[in-house]
Amino acid sequence: MGLIGNWLDRWSERSTRNVAQRSSRRSALNRIGKLMVGSAFVLPVLPFDRTSQAHAAEARKRKQATDDTACDYWRYCAQDGYLCSCCGGTVSTCPPGTEPSKVAWVGTCRNPVDGKDYLISYNDCCGKTSCGRCMCNTSHGERPGYRLGLHNDVNWCMANDSSVFHCTTALIVGLPEGNA
Amino acid sequence: MGLIGNWLDRWSERSTRNVAQRSSRRSALNRIGKLMVGSAFVLPVLPFDRTSQAHAAEARKRKQATDDTACDYWRYCAQDGYLCSCCGGTVSTCPPGTEPSKVAWVGTCRNPVDGKDYLISYNDCCGKTSCGRCMCNTSHGERPGYRLGLHNDVNWCMANDSSVFHCTTALIVGLPEGNA
Amino acid sequence: MNSIAWARRSLLALACMGATVALADGLDSTGVVEMAPPTPQRLYVVDPAFPHMIDGRMHIVDGDTERYLGVISTGYSASVALAPDRKEIYVATTYYARLNHGERTDVVDIHDAQTLSWKGEIVIPTRHAQAMAARNVTQTSFDGHYLFVQNATPATSVTVVDLKARKVIAEVQTPGCWSVYPSPSVAGRFSAMCGNGSMLTVTLDAAGQVLSRRQSAPFFDPDKDPVFTNFDRYQGRYVFVSYHGQVHVADLSGEEAKFDAPWSLLNAADRKQHWRPGGYQLLATHEPSGRLFVTMHDKGEEGTHKDPAKEIWAFDLNTHQRVSRSPGYGAGGLAVSRGDKPRLYALNVEEAKITQVDVSGAKPRFLRTMQPIAETPIQLELQ
Amino acid sequence: MNSIAWARRSLLALACMGATVALADGLDSTGVVEMAPPTPQRLYVVDPAFPHMIDGRMHIVDGDTERYLGVISTGYSASVALAPDRKEIYVATTYYARLNHGERTDVVDIHDAQTLSWKGEIVIPTRHAQAMAARNVTQTSFDGHYLFVQNATPATSVTVVDLKARKVIAEVQTPGCWSVYPSPSVAGRFSAMCGNGSMLTVTLDAAGQVLSRRQSAPFFDPDKDPVFTNFDRYQGRYVFVSYHGQVHVADLSGEEAKFDAPWSLLNAADRKQHWRPGGYQLLATHEPSGRLFVTMHDKGEEGTHKDPAKEIWAFDLNTHQRVSRSPGYGAGGLAVSRGDKPRLYALNVEEAKITQVDVSGAKPRFLRTMQPIAETPIQLELQ
């Protein structure tokens, strides 16, 4: 938990400095995400960022605030994992029988409704094997492991009794300036 | 091993009695099997008999004796599993690091080259998790579990130190009458 | 808002694990979803996950909304049974200390069916049959007191687990026989189908001692017309079908199995077209209407007995008359929901799709085909 | 031929397990394939198998024939390293006593690279970082004596395993740092990249005691231009690239890391088009020709650093000049084979396809794109 505090502090420093360069990141995966809600397991399950180069930049601009089972949902700008919303959980709660991760990585995502930036905590849900539904991998603000609190290529169930990864939630843990 | 002997005896009795009604069974899976050699993991992995009704009967007639990585290879008439030929093994030997099953089910398949029936032993290869390549499921002569030696809906790695199923081989263990 | 305040809020949120409420100030807290109470249309889809058989699953899905409710890990080549009251799920499975090597441990895992959480395990002999998941390889006694688990080494036997005492009370040898068919009225009694066409019935006392062991006269000829081991129940009796479409109804309540005279699903025209039953969980009954549903295909021959359905046929179990023919939906498995609005669920094994058919009226009525669930679903149970 | 004879032959055949010969009389015997000796084009494809992460694999494939040679089970979220002589494969992984619950055991599994059989395990602390497989999280020392394994709890440390003695000799705390970069000349020495842009270098004696611990001055600004932790080697030095295309070459042989002056992959026109490196194993060197290959995409911006390649660029590591631009083949990972006929293997993570490019001449020449291998390949090693 102390580490999380540290990460948040570090993140907040960075966010202050870098706020101008943040942009709404959204991957072409949203379409894949949607397809997979419908036809998971028949279509290939695509775990990583499959962004088509041709459309990546354009795709990054779009995002939505209505369907949290799609990868272009605004909170998923730095997501990496199966969406818990497709796995029996919700955008912020774990599926039955799993346990929220004790530690998490964070990202900053812009809500298209109010145009403001929110601090998002990506808590994995742990204790059951991969959900396998609605893989979503985006990397806005993601950093290598030496900035571990911003790193999503590691299993954040690591500190739970069972470190087995099932899916990932996206919790609002910080509000835009002025809303606190 | 005693059980295998019993099954063989029982099988032989049956084969004598039923020889007239045996036909060359081959499932439409052969096409799927071929596809999967080429594109395993991107196409869905189809574990069971996906026989299209429209073509099943016709498909059953065809079989070949040249490509043992395809499900329509003649020895696979009662196959059920990933073809070891696609997994680093051969039609009769296991992939490196796996162990042949100590027990097996058997089938009778007609070799299109000489038109004669051979007794085939389907030995699983054991000790590594599912190969996942070239699934092939056919059921010529397959019978429920009360005829266990002719049953393919059970894991035949069951008697090995590791009962974990990897793939299935198809061994000639009985020659046509007159060739002994 | 400054960074310190954000950090504090986050720590607060993260400290509230287990709560499902969003904080009033717009911040989220971690938590776990509580499932709504079950409806008759809750589905339990058993998925051996062939490409990764070590990691089998049972998916829980709401048939009304198609919402994916959650999953249970079932380990390696599991067989699964629901408690009669659907409060618990029993999974007979195998674990190795190191995934695919090391010490083998077979257990019956017990899961809470409403929270989908693991409640505990009962260690069983390391002989559990690693069979394709199917009803006939693991079942509870009629009252949920015992669990019968098929073994194969390949010698066949049955492990009897006392679910109340959470321990194994017996292992019964059943050479040449296969399946566990619990008695509809005696908790410590089960039957098994045997290679000579007979039914073995074993009766145990509460301590697991064998009180009786009776083999019926053969009721079918396994060489001429094998009977599928899958089943459904009707009026406390077991309904089976054969490769060639004979229906066998068994009374397994007593010390020795009794059988009705078999009857055929086929008329002369059907026989000419070689209609046959085919699939895995290839038949389902609906008690209130006395109907039997069977997955059927034409042009049947040796080796087609697992082919998917070209049609689903319905029969009146009392008159033995066919009452409807429906599309097959490519089904290899069937199940009918209980309650006021019975639905037939037809599982297309190939495409992992489930078709819902309204069977509340005389004529089956197509409702919808659900989006694919699972990788390699093979068994389907209902609330 | 009668049934008894058939049975006898079969028993004989089944008794001959381990042999690979077909019997002279046309009957087969069970056996296990022996792999042909390795060629420089043998591929090791690390596949975390995301949809069933508990069942990760490393696939072994012949690059010349595309023949699938076999597989190693790597368990849950493993990191993998090959012995320098390619005789053994080391897998740092996690097992639970019951697949996803029960006691956790972390081990380094040792596999024979030629027989693909499991040779044994070394139990390590249950802190192994369950990271996306990548070179920088597990490596052997230059001489194969030690294995360095990244830990995360999320506090970071490194487990040091003596592979000769088959035991753990140390756990070194590396707070705020990530990766293991073994020294090219001192077996007990490794470095790690740190959050303040510096490199930490730790030197151990044979007993695992820390002899020295030196932090370099920062060599990059993680806020302005983060350096990817993946790497390849050139003339005993480590080559890294940054999000914005700076090349950092590090000498990690000594007690404290030293760095060449960084240089850029980009010219003014490239910068205008926002070309950037992107992917996972996003760079590879070819020693004899002094070339560096990098997966590049244009229109880069925040969040594109894992995007697949639009082009593969090659640079002369001595002159820092770009020497070729090739199609990207959608690659997210690169590796170059050793020996006379060097090939660049470009791993398309999305489609699980590997493209082979002949890099024996001055100009890269497309050879072929292999059929898909693995489900979710993310790391690629060569013989």
Side-chain angles (χ1 to χ4, degrees):
Chain A
M1 301 292 274
L3 265 168
I4 292 181
N6 289 341
W7 297 330
L8 288 176
D9 287 348
R10 190 189 301 141
W11 174 88
S12 300
E13 286 169 40
R14 288 191 57 264
S15 77
T16 309
R17 195 164 3 182
N18 298 343
V19 69
Q21 79 178 60
R22 284 201 303 274
S23 67
S24 305
R25 163 96 169 73
R26 177 208 157 275
S27 143
L29 246 193
N30 72 316
R31 274 169 295 123
I32 295 169
K34 274 178 184 163
L35 276 172
M36 294 184 64
V37 180
S39 54
F41 306 113
V42 169
L43 282 177
V45 178
L46 305 176
F48 304 118
D49 193 335
R50 317 307 199 171
T51 308
S52 154
Q53 282 307 291
H55 304 292
E58 183 203 359
R60 249 165 233 127
K61 309 302 177 197
R62 282 180 278 128
K63 58 174 54 168
Q64 48 87 18
T66 49
D67 179 6
D68 63 17
T69 64
C71 194
D72 65 347
Y73 184 69
W74 70 275
R75 290 194 196 185
Y76 300 146
C77 78
Q79 174 77 302
D80 185 9
Y82 300 105
L83 301 180
C84 291
S85 299
C86 298
C87 301
T90 69
V91 67
S92 60
T93 53
C94 288
T98 65
E99 186 184 55
S101 68
K102 294 178 177 174
V103 289
W105 80 97
V106 294
T108 314
C109 302
R110 182 162 296 170
N111 185 337
V113 175
D114 61 14
K116 293 182 176 171
D117 291 328
Y118 289 75
L119 181 65
I120 306 295
S121 176
Y122 296 96
N123 287 75
D124 289 335
C125 299
C126 315
K128 298 192 180 188
T129 54
S130 310
C131 162
R133 299 166 64 89
C134 301
M135 181 66 206
C136 176
N137 184 319
T138 55
S139 296
H140 185 83
E142 201 268 347
R143 292 295 177 267
Y146 50 74
R147 287 281 165 90
L148 201 55
L150 302 172
H151 187 51
N152 70 12
D153 281 344
V154 71
N155 167 28
W156 284 96
C157 290
M158 64 174 96
N160 286 52
D161 283 346
S162 169
S163 64
V164 173
F165 165 73
H166 186 62
C167 65
T168 304
T169 56
L171 284 70
I172 296 177
V173 294
L175 299 179
E177 299 187 27
N179 290 38
Chain B
M1 301 294 273
L3 265 167
I4 292 181
N6 289 341
W7 298 329
L8 289 176
D9 287 349
R10 191 189 301 142
W11 173 89
S12 301
E13 287 170 39
R14 288 192 57 262
S15 79
T16 310
R17 194 165 3 184
N18 298 343
V19 70
Q21 79 179 60
R22 282 202 305 272
S23 67
S24 304
R25 164 97 169 74
R26 177 210 157 274
S27 140
L29 247 194
N30 70 316
R31 275 170 293 123
I32 293 168
K34 274 178 184 164
L35 275 174
M36 293 183 64
V37 180
S39 56
F41 306 112
V42 170
L43 282 175
V45 178
L46 306 175
F48 304 117
D49 194 332
R50 318 303 198 173
T51 309
S52 154
Q53 282 307 290
H55 305 293
E58 182 203 359
R60 247 164 235 125
K61 309 301 177 197
R62 283 181 278 127
K63 57 175 55 168
Q64 49 86 18
T66 50
D67 180 6
D68 63 18
T69 64
C71 195
D72 65 346
Y73 184 69
W74 70 277
R75 291 194 194 185
Y76 301 145
C77 76
Q79 173 77 304
D80 185 10
Y82 300 105
L83 301 179
C84 291
S85 298
C86 299
C87 302
T90 70
V91 66
S92 60
T93 52
C94 288
T98 65
E99 187 184 55
S101 69
K102 294 178 176 172
V103 291
W105 80 97
V106 295
T108 314
C109 302
R110 182 161 297 170
N111 184 336
V113 174
D114 62 14
K116 293 182 175 171
D117 291 325
Y118 289 76
L119 182 64
I120 307 295
S121 176
Y122 297 97
N123 287 73
D124 289 335
C125 299
C126 314
K128 297 191 181 190
T129 54
S130 310
C131 161
R133 299 166 64 89
C134 301
M135 181 66 206
C136 176
N137 184 318
T138 55
S139 297
H140 185 83
E142 200 269 348
R143 291 294 177 268
Y146 50 74
R147 288 279 167 91
L148 201 55
L150 302 172
H151 187 51
N152 70 14
D153 282 343
V154 72
N155 168 29
W156 284 96
C157 290
M158 65 174 94
N160 286 54
D161 283 345
S162 169
S163 64
V164 173
F165 165 73
H166 186 63
C167 64
T168 305
T169 57
L171 283 69
I172 297 178
V173 293
L175 300 177
E177 301 190 26
N179 290 37
Chain C
M1 188 181 133
N2 63 42
S3 67
I4 303 301
W6 276 19
R8 274 207 216 99
R9 279 163 182 282
S10 176
L11 287 170
L12 174 69
L14 289 160
C16 293
M17 294 194 310
T20 56
V21 289
L23 302 187
D25 57 6
L27 298 186
D28 294 316
S29 171
T30 59
V32 178
V33 162
E34 276 184 36
M35 287 203 290
T39 74
Q41 312 303 336
R42 179 170 292 178
L43 300 172
Y44 301 84
V45 183
V46 183
D47 179 4
F50 248 52
H52 292 275
M53 245 176 115
I54 204 90
D55 185 22
R57 290 108 187 274
M58 175 189 256
H59 308 274
I60 292 87
V61 180
D62 178 23
D64 284 318
T65 62
E66 294 196 30
R67 179 168 164 76
Y68 189 89
L69 300 174
V71 69
I72 282 173
S73 286
T74 59
Y76 179 62
S77 206
S79 47
V80 180
L82 302 180
D85 64 7
R86 302 294 189 262
K87 290 214 189 313
E88 290 183 334
I89 301 168
Y90 307 109
V91 180
T93 192
T94 296
Y95 295 113
Y96 284 90
R98 301 290 189 265
L99 192 74
N100 59 12
H101 63 283
E103 192 188 357
R104 172 177 172 174
T105 306
D106 285 17
V107 302
V108 171
D109 273 324
I110 303 163
H111 298 268
D112 184 299
Q114 186 58 20
T115 65
L116 305 186
S117 55
W118 178 82
K119 293 174 72 174
E121 69 180 22
I122 303 165
V123 175
I124 59 174
T126 54
R127 292 186 274 281
H128 150 250
Q130 294 166 334
M132 182 81 76
R135 285 182 181 167
N136 58 294
V137 286
T138 299
Q139 282 283 300
T140 71
S141 59
F142 80 95
D143 60 354
H145 193 133
Y146 301 110
L147 186 74
F148 302 101
V149 179
Q150 178 70 53
N151 295 328
T153 64
T156 50
S157 64
V158 172
T159 292
V160 183
V161 178
D162 184 329
L163 292 170
K164 306 284 180 225
R166 297 274 192 257
K167 65 173 187 184
V168 173
I169 60 165
E171 182 179 354
V172 180
Q173 302 303 312
T174 55
C177 306
W178 190 256
S179 303
V180 290
Y181 304 121
S183 160
S185 51
V186 179
R189 178 175 289 160
F190 71 92
S191 298
M193 208 180 285
C194 302
N196 67 348
S198 72
M199 190 74 86
L200 170 69
T201 301
V202 177
T203 308
L204 306 168
D205 67 14
Q209 294 299 308
V210 173
L211 296 176
S212 78
R213 189 182 172 90
R214 300 281 179 84
Q215 196 107 23
S216 78
F219 67 100
F220 70 101
D221 182 338
D223 294 318
K224 287 194 177 139
D225 188 16
V227 170
F228 289 96
T229 49
N230 229 309
F231 68 91
D232 207 350
R233 296 178 172 93
Y234 179 60
Q235 292 179 340
R237 294 180 301 165
Y238 280 77
V239 182
F240 303 100
V241 296
S242 75
Y243 280 31
H244 289 274
Q246 289 291 107
V247 178
H248 298 269
V249 177
D251 176 354
L252 303 180
S253 61
E255 282 197 357
E256 186 176 316
K258 287 182 280 193
F259 301 89
D260 293 358
W263 53 276
S264 179
L265 299 169
L266 312 176
N267 62 28
D270 303 330
R271 271 193 201 89
K272 225 173 197 169
Q273 295 165 6
H274 300 281
W275 282 93
R276 293 189 185 184
Y280 295 86
Q281 188 174 318
L282 74 179
L283 75 169
T285 58
H286 180 233
E287 289 267 357
S289 66
R291 267 179 298 178
L292 168 69
F293 299 91
V294 188
T295 52
M296 303 291 296
H297 61 276
D298 60 356
K299 300 174 186 157
E301 59 182 26
E302 174 56 45
T304 66
H305 57 282
K306 293 176 188 169
D307 281 9
K310 186 170 180 183
E311 295 184 1
I312 297 169
W313 290 3
F315 293 85
D316 185 311
L317 278 160
N318 299 309
T319 66
H320 305 175
Q321 296 302 302
R322 182 168 59 204
V323 293
S324 69
R325 294 172 70 157
S326 310
Y329 310 113
L334 299 175
V336 178
S337 65
R338 302 188 285 191
D340 284 350
K341 296 178 177 169
R343 282 182 215 159
L344 174 70
Y345 288 86
L347 171 63
N348 180 325
V349 170
E350 175 182 353
E351 298 176 3
K353 286 180 181 170
I354 297 170
T355 298
Q356 300 187 14
V357 180
D358 179 347
V359 292
S360 60
K363 202 176 152 52
R365 190 169 61 85
F366 170 84
L367 290 174
R368 65 171 170 278
T369 296
M370 300 169 69
Q371 292 302 325
I373 296 161
E375 275 168 294
T376 59
I378 193 66
Q379 183 185 355
L380 181 58
E381 300 294 345
L382 282 153
Q383 185 65 28
Chain D
M1 187 178 136
N2 63 41
S3 67
I4 304 300
W6 276 19
R8 274 208 215 100
R9 278 162 182 283
S10 177
L11 288 170
L12 176 67
L14 289 160
C16 292
M17 295 193 309
T20 56
V21 290
L23 300 187
D25 57 5
L27 299 186
D28 295 316
S29 171
T30 59
V32 178
V33 162
E34 276 185 36
M35 288 204 288
T39 76
Q41 312 304 334
R42 180 170 291 178
L43 300 171
Y44 301 84
V45 183
V46 184
D47 180 5
F50 248 53
H52 292 276
M53 243 175 115
I54 204 89
D55 185 20
R57 292 109 186 272
M58 174 189 257
H59 308 276
I60 292 86
V61 180
D62 178 23
D64 284 319
T65 61
E66 295 196 29
R67 180 168 163 77
Y68 189 90
L69 300 175
V71 70
I72 282 174
S73 286
T74 58
Y76 179 63
S77 205
S79 46
V80 179
L82 302 180
D85 64 7
R86 302 294 190 261
K87 290 213 188 318
E88 291 183 332
I89 300 167
Y90 307 108
V91 180
T93 191
T94 297
Y95 296 113
Y96 285 89
R98 301 290 188 265
L99 192 73
N100 59 12
H101 61 283
E103 192 188 356
R104 172 177 172 175
T105 306
D106 285 17
V107 302
V108 170
D109 274 325
I110 302 164
H111 299 268
D112 185 300
Q114 186 57 22
T115 65
L116 304 186
S117 56
W118 179 81
K119 293 175 72 174
E121 69 180 22
I122 303 165
V123 174
I124 58 174
T126 54
R127 291 185 274 280
H128 151 250
Q130 295 165 334
M132 182 81 77
R135 285 183 180 166
N136 58 294
V137 287
T138 300
Q139 282 284 298
T140 71
S141 59
F142 80 95
D143 60 354
H145 193 132
Y146 301 110
L147 187 74
F148 302 101
V149 180
Q150 178 70 53
N151 295 328
T153 65
T156 49
S157 64
V158 172
T159 293
V160 183
V161 179
D162 184 329
L163 292 169
K164 306 285 179 225
R166 298 276 193 253
K167 65 174 185 183
V168 173
I169 60 163
E171 183 180 354
V172 180
Q173 301 304 312
T174 54
C177 306
W178 190 256
S179 303
V180 289
Y181 304 121
S183 160
S185 51
V186 179
R189 179 174 290 160
F190 71 92
S191 299
M193 208 180 286
C194 303
N196 67 349
S198 72
M199 189 75 85
L200 169 70
T201 300
V202 177
T203 308
L204 307 168
D205 68 14
Q209 294 300 307
V210 174
L211 295 178
S212 77
R213 190 183 170 89
R214 300 280 179 85
Q215 197 107 23
S216 77
F219 67 101
F220 70 101
D221 182 339
D223 294 318
K224 287 194 178 140
D225 187 16
V227 170
F228 288 98
T229 50
N230 230 308
F231 68 92
D232 205 348
R233 294 179 173 93
Y234 179 61
Q235 292 179 341
R237 294 179 300 165
Y238 280 76
V239 181
F240 302 99
V241 295
S242 74
Y243 280 30
H244 288 274
Q246 289 291 107
V247 178
H248 298 269
V249 178
D251 176 355
L252 303 181
S253 60
E255 281 197 357
E256 185 176 315
K258 287 182 278 190
F259 301 89
D260 294 357
W263 52 277
S264 178
L265 300 169
L266 311 177
N267 61 30
D270 303 331
R271 273 193 200 90
K272 226 173 196 169
Q273 294 165 5
H274 298 281
W275 281 92
R276 294 188 186 186
Y280 294 86
Q281 188 172 321
L282 76 177
L283 76 170
T285 59
H286 180 233
E287 289 267 357
S289 67
R291 267 178 299 178
L292 168 68
F293 299 91
V294 188
T295 51
M296 303 291 296
H297 61 276
D298 60 355
K299 298 173 189 156
E301 58 180 28
E302 174 55 46
T304 66
H305 57 282
K306 294 177 188 169
D307 280 10
K310 187 169 178 185
E311 296 185 1
I312 297 170
W313 291 3
F315 293 84
D316 184 310
L317 277 161
N318 299 310
T319 66
H320 305 175
Q321 295 302 301
R322 183 167 62 203
V323 293
S324 69
R325 295 171 69 157
S326 310
Y329 310 113
L334 298 175
V336 179
S337 65
R338 302 189 286 190
D340 284 349
K341 296 177 177 170
R343 283 182 215 158
L344 174 69
Y345 289 86
L347 171 63
N348 180 326
V349 170
E350 174 181 355
E351 298 175 5
K353 286 181 180 168
I354 295 171
T355 297
Q356 299 187 15
V357 180
D358 179 349
V359 291
S360 60
K363 204 176 151 52
R365 191 170 60 86
F366 171 84
L367 290 174
R368 65 171 169 279
T369 297
M370 301 169 69
Q371 292 301 326
I373 297 159
E375 276 168 293
T376 59
I378 194 65
Q379 183 185 355
L380 182 58
E381 300 295 346
L382 282 154
Q383 187 65 31

